[in-house]
DNA sequence: GTTGCCGGGAG
DNA sequence: CTCCCGGCAAC
């Protein structure tokens, strides 16, 4: 977009900072308002700050308690309506004003010389990765901070760091990760279970926006509004259906968390905790046999059910036990199967855990349906996947594809009958097109040029990964009609339902897909009329008619954008 | 002016 | 890889 339109002007509003809580622990938040005495105001909302300036910080996570004893005054819990504890937690976003000197963060104070209290959530770089941890002790004299981190699936580690090696704010983090973090938190909030690990107190310090290495920052934090959080919570719920998730033991769910009070000494707010690692693990496990990974999917988290009972239409139940792919027609059957084959008869409890080991799938065995891409209405059949494909079809998920080893797609057709498809479309194109390097382009360019790029699984990916191509009207060679010769008789071609993925598959590997696609390969499938539109711009995708994240959520809620949008790539959530 | 997103670059 | 952003085309 236009240069110079980013948020630089927004000044420090939106800057992530850490502010002291009543317990002496720093909590992350976002500057939401800057109050400078009027005589100091500058015309551009840009800084003209003095020591009088007060910064209203909105803490990332909300509590139900006030900052009464905090050094400064004036808290603004937003809403006190009582609902479930967990909700109340979320609703009570904390805001509080601070002066410059009280804040730590870019443009404010540094951690330097500060004393960290036990329980302080910090971020350190461990193994080249930013990791969050909790301070165990901080010896100022020795400049020694003992930080406990729990990375990955290993048990917590205690590391000795110097103060300068610790950060209160996360320096860089993908939305995905922060989502995960949040999810974890929700697990707790949702009170998913009883006790669980001895989670140390957690402080959420989500990612931080200003002043990382890259210059301009799109300011803004995500405001975790209710929606968002609900999504996360739901997501979590859905994850719970996965087998082997092991998360029950991993998700910290200290009782305190649901009460959301961080007024109690070191016990920190019920913030997202280190769930990151835990969650990650959980994901790994849960998807192991599903060729899918959540790691790229922040998009598509949509609000709906998930928690609702499995429902509607022809569906089957598929065992998700590690390598077992048994499907059964009924829930009972699958549960029985699970009980017998996996869990063992011993457990005939009233709260059947079998439920965790199967998932409902569509009868056609297509567990991902692109129809969801456009409407959140129908909920995904598979709870396990729900978080991922609700809005984003699997083919858009790089991870998914990668793990598959090939890119498959709903509309893939493998039709041996006609390996030679007339693919010569009307796409005339511009050789100099920047996209020329994209295979399909080339292919189109020269229909007769048999495009032979077998077995290089890589090539289609790059672009594919990032841009869900509009299925309709192909602006430029749409992959929809892309033909791929996997070197011999078996030609594979796919029609992109709404994307691009090129497949390179040995014919054999193709999973069962219903051939609902006729041999005609025309992108038009879901599109209105003719796929042949004047290629408005040979090399650039036409503007999709649908609003993208940016428009939908606005800059203020950038955190809710899909990853692609955040990266200024083709939106994956609202693909056209 | 705003959006969408490609291409390219940093880490 | 992941993340960010310049810059340009489409609105
Ligand atoms: Zn998007």
């Amino acid at each position: 977009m236009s240069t110079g339109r980013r948020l630089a002007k927004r000044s420090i509003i939106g800057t992530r900072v850490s502010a002291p809580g009543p317990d002496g622990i720093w909590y992350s938040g976002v500057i939401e308002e800057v109050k400078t005495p009027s005589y100091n105001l500058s015309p551009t909302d840009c800084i003209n700050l003095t020591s009088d300036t007060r910064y209203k910080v909105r803490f990332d996570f909300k509590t139900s308690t006030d900052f009464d004893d905090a050094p400064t005054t004036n808290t603004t819990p937003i809403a006190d309506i009582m609902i479930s504890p967990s909700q109340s937690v979320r609703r009570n976003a904390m805001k509080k004003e601070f002066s410059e000197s009280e804040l730590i963060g870019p443009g404010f104070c540094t951690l330097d010389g500060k004393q960290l209290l036990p329980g302080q959530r910090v971020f350190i770089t461990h193994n080249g990765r930013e990791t969050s941890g909790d301070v165990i002790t901080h010896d100022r004299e020795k400049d020694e901070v003992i930080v406990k981190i729990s990375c990955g699936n290993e048990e917590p580690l205690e590391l000795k760091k110097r103060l300068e090696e610790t950060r209160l704010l996360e320096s860089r983090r993908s939305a995905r990760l922060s989502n995960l973090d949040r999810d974890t938190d929700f697990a707790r909030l949702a009170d998913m279970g009883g006790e669980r690990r001895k989670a140390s107190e957690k402080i959420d310090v989500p990612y931080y926006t200003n002043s990382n290495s890259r210059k301009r920052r799109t300011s803004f934090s995500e405001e975790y509004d209710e929606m968002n959080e609900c999504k996360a919570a739901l997501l979590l719920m859905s994850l719970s259906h996965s087998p082997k998730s092991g998360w029950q033991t991993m998700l910290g769910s200290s009782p305190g968390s649901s009460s959301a009070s961080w007024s109690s000494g070191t016990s920190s707010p019920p913030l997202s905790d280190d769930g990151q690692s835990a969650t990650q693990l959980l994901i790994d496990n849960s998807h192991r046999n599903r060729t899918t990974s959540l790691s790229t999917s922040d998009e598509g988290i949509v609000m709906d059910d998930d928690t609702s009972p499995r429902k509607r239409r022809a569906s089957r139940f598929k065992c998700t036990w590690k390598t077992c792919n048994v499907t059964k027609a009924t829930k009972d059957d699958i549960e029985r199967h699970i009980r017998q084959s996996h869990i063992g008869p011993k457990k005939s409890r009233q709260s059947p855990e079998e439920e965790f080991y199967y998932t409902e799938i569509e009868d056609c065995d297509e567990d991902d349906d692109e129809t969801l891409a456009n409407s959140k209405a129908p909920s995904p059949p598979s709870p396990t996947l729900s978080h991922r494909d609700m809005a984003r079809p699997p083919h858009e998920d790089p991870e998914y594809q990668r793990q598959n080893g090939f890119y498959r797609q709903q509309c893939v057709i493998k039709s041996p009958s006609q390996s030679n498809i007339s693919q010569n479309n009307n796409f005339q194109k511009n050789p100099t097109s920047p996209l020329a390097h994209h295979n399909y382009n080339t292919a189109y360019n020269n229909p007769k040029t048999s495009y032979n790029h077998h077995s290089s699984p890589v090539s289609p990916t790059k672009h594919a990964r990032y841009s869900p191509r509009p299925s309709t009207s192909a602006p430029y060679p749409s992959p929809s009609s892309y033909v791929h010769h996997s070197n011999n008789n078996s030609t594979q071609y796919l029609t992109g339902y709404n994307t691009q993925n090129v497949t390179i598959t040995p014919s054999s590997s193709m999973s069962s897909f219903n051939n609902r696609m006729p041999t005609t390969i025309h992108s038009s499938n879901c599109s209105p009329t003719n796929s042949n539109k004047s290629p408005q711009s040979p090399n650039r995708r036409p503007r999709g008619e649908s609003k993208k994240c940016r428009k939908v959520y606005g800059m203020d809620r950038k955190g809710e954008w899909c990853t692609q949008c955040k990266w200024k790539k083709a939106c994956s959530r609202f693909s056209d």
Side-chain angles (χ1 to χ4, degrees):
Chain A
M1 69 190 234
S2 71
T3 339
R5 178 195 108 57
R6 295 204 186 98
L7 289 162
K9 308 245 179 85
R10 299 246 216 153
S11 78
I12 40 187
I13 291 186
T15 300
R16 302 199 60 78
V17 295
S18 278
D23 47 9
I25 286 179
W26 301 89
Y27 295 95
S28 69
V30 173
I31 294 183
E32 201 172 59
E33 205 178 310
V34 180
K35 298 181 179 174
T36 308
S38 53
Y39 54 85
N40 267 331
L41 283 180
S42 91
T44 62
D45 123 88
C46 244
I47 352 199
N48 206 345
L49 310 166
T50 67
S51 48
D52 299 331
T53 305
R54 310 286 299 167
Y55 302 86
K56 187 189 256 180
V57 174
R58 175 200 180 99
F59 289 93
D60 294 329
F61 268 92
K62 313 146 190 196
T63 75
S64 50
T65 50
D66 257 8
F67 258 124
D68 298 331
D69 39 354
T72 20
T73 51
N74 186 358
T75 353
T76 324
I78 306 188
D80 271 285
I81 324 123
M82 263 340 240
I83 355 147
S84 78
S86 56
Q87 270 185 312
S88 74
V89 169
R90 276 182 259 129
R91 294 213 171 171
N92 288 297
M94 291 299 304
K95 300 184 185 179
K96 179 167 170 48
E97 288 182 14
F98 295 93
S99 68
E100 184 177 14
S101 57
E102 293 172 287
L103 299 175
I104 290 186
F108 298 96
C109 303
T110 64
L111 211 38
D112 230 24
K114 299 283 195 296
Q115 172 72 50
L116 299 180
L117 297 179
Q120 173 70 60
R121 161 60 58 93
V122 294
F123 292 87
I124 59 178
T125 304
H126 177 59
N127 285 342
R129 278 198 147 247
E130 174 150 271
T131 314
S132 61
D134 296 310
V135 170
I136 308 277
T137 58
H138 173 206
D139 185 331
R140 248 210 289 175
E141 249 110 273
K142 292 194 238 164
D143 187 21
E144 194 176 282
V145 185
I146 309 292
V147 180
K148 183 173 72 184
I149 64 173
S150 41
C151 60
N153 7 5
E154 306 152 26
E155 54 249 49
L157 269 159
E158 291 190 8
L159 301 175
K160 194 184 298 178
K161 291 282 177 185
R162 285 178 312 167
L163 185 59
E164 64 198 70
E165 297 173 305
T166 67
R167 281 156 269 141
L168 289 182
L169 294 168
E170 200 164 3
S171 53
R172 209 168 81 131
R173 129 123 91 182
S174 72
R176 167 176 73 255
L177 292 182
S178 19
N179 276 341
L180 289 179
D181 252 14
R182 251 171 286 157
D183 297 342
T184 310
D185 181 34
F186 283 120
R188 297 201 278 155
L189 294 178
D191 194 4
M192 305 293 290
E195 47 89 47
R196 310 273 142 86
R197 80 163 192 215
K198 53 299 175 128
S200 58
E201 27 292 317
K202 303 298 183 191
I203 302 155
D204 175 271
V205 186
Y207 69 84
Y208 128 137
T209 34
N210 267 345
S211 95
N212 23 19
S213 52
R214 308 230 176 218
K215 28 191 175 177
R216 240 134 17 96
R217 196 16 251 211
T218 350
S219 82
F220 273 38
S221 59
E222 22 204 307
E223 316 236 5
Y224 306 126
D225 65 15
E226 187 118 30
M227 275 307 239
N228 216 3
E229 302 186 357
C230 282
K231 291 176 193 171
L234 288 168
L235 193 165
L236 241 200
M237 301 293 273
S238 74
L239 287 173
S240 73
H241 291 271
S242 309
K244 315 181 74 263
S245 60
W247 68 315
Q248 303 196 67
T249 49
M250 311 206 53
L251 297 173
S253 87
S254 62
S257 43
S258 47
S259 72
S261 159
W262 40 305
S263 56
S264 52
T266 50
S267 99
S268 347
L271 306 182
S272 77
D273 71 349
D274 234 355
Q276 187 168 339
S277 44
T279 310
Q280 211 114 38
L281 181 96
L282 133 88
I283 284 150
D284 270 69
N285 285 336
S286 53
H287 289 302
R288 184 158 300 150
N289 55 352
R290 313 236 36 187
T291 69
T292 208
S293 147
L294 191 150
S295 71
T296 43
S297 62
D298 61 331
E299 20 272 85
I301 298 178
V302 179
M303 238 348 252
D304 47 341
D305 78 330
D306 241 344
T307 50
S308 68
R310 332 202 116 76
K311 46 186 179 192
R312 78 195 167 138
R313 77 179 158 197
S315 54
R316 297 184 60 84
F317 298 88
K318 178 177 179 184
C319 176
T320 55
W321 194 272
K322 232 185 298 186
T323 53
C324 179
N325 279 323
V326 171
T327 62
K328 298 284 183 184
T330 70
K331 200 168 166 174
D332 286 347
D333 284 345
I334 193 69
E335 289 184 1
R336 195 174 315 118
H337 156 80
I338 290 165
R339 227 174 296 125
Q340 289 171 357
S341 309
H342 307 307
I343 303 184
K346 42 172 185 175
K347 319 232 184 176
S348 48
R349 341 181 333 206
Q350 61 285 58
S351 69
E353 86 184 46
E354 293 86 24
E355 211 174 293
F356 292 101
Y357 300 99
Y358 67 86
T359 175
E360 186 180 352
I361 60 179
E362 302 251 345
D363 208 7
C364 60
D365 203 14
E366 196 179 295
D367 34 21
D368 305 306
D369 52 349
E370 77 283 354
T371 61
L372 293 175
N374 298 331
S375 69
K376 27 179 104 178
S379 75
S382 151
T384 313
L385 292 176
S386 55
H387 55 283
R388 181 173 54 85
D389 15 51
M390 282 182 104
R392 169 153 144 177
H395 55 268
E396 291 184 59
D397 186 335
E399 287 296 332
Y400 174 77
Q401 299 175 349
R402 190 179 312 130
Q403 297 202 0
N404 260 305
F406 55 83
Y407 314 95
R408 46 134 95 150
Q409 177 140 16
Q410 293 83 345
C411 300
V412 169
I413 319 161
K414 163 181 154 190
S415 101
S417 47
Q418 28 145 95
S419 17
N420 47 349
I421 308 97
S422 61
Q423 49 170 107
N424 40 5
N425 316 359
N426 22 346
F427 298 128
Q428 49 24 331
K429 29 163 0 323
N430 157 4
T432 60
S433 150
L435 290 177
H437 59 280
H438 296 308
N439 329 334
Y440 42 83
N441 237 355
T442 4
Y444 280 120
N445 241 342
N446 210 338
K448 44 199 159 185
T449 319
S450 115
Y451 175 76
N452 232 3
H453 126 287
H454 29 241
S455 63
S456 101
V458 208
S459 88
T461 351
K462 171 180 179 180
H463 192 26
R465 298 195 44 201
Y466 283 88
S467 21
R469 203 129 298 283
S471 57
T472 69
S473 69
Y476 51 83
S478 151
S480 30
S481 13
Y482 177 63
V483 181
H484 204 296
H485 303 277
S486 41
N487 73 26
N488 37 14
N489 34 12
S490 72
T491 305
Q492 236 96 36
Y493 55 100
L494 356 136
T495 37
Y497 221 38
N498 66 12
T499 50
Q500 65 289 14
N501 306 310
V502 176
T503 306
I504 328 174
T505 10
S507 50
S508 52
S509 64
M510 229 30 210
S511 66
S512 57
F513 272 126
N514 351 25
N515 302 358
R516 35 167 173 205
M517 285 317 249
T519 78
T520 10
I521 18 158
H522 247 321
S523 50
S524 52
N525 43 23
C526 356
S527 81
T529 53
N530 221 320
S531 60
N532 305 345
K533 298 170 75 179
S534 55
Q536 19 179 243
S537 157
N539 17 342
R540 199 151 180 127
R541 93 173 37 209
R543 242 187 206 209
E545 66 259 40
S546 63
K547 287 217 224 2
K548 301 298 191 294
C549 301
R550 182 197 185 93
K551 191 74 173 286
V552 172
Y553 303 107
M555 291 305 285
D556 295 350
R557 292 191 295 164
K558 191 171 183 182
E560 292 171 39
W561 297 7
C562 73
T563 317
Q564 299 303 301
C565 280
K566 273 186 248 185
W567 297 347
K568 297 217 280 186
K569 295 282 189 258
C571 178
S572 59
R573 184 172 300 163
F574 307 105
S575 49
D576 312 301

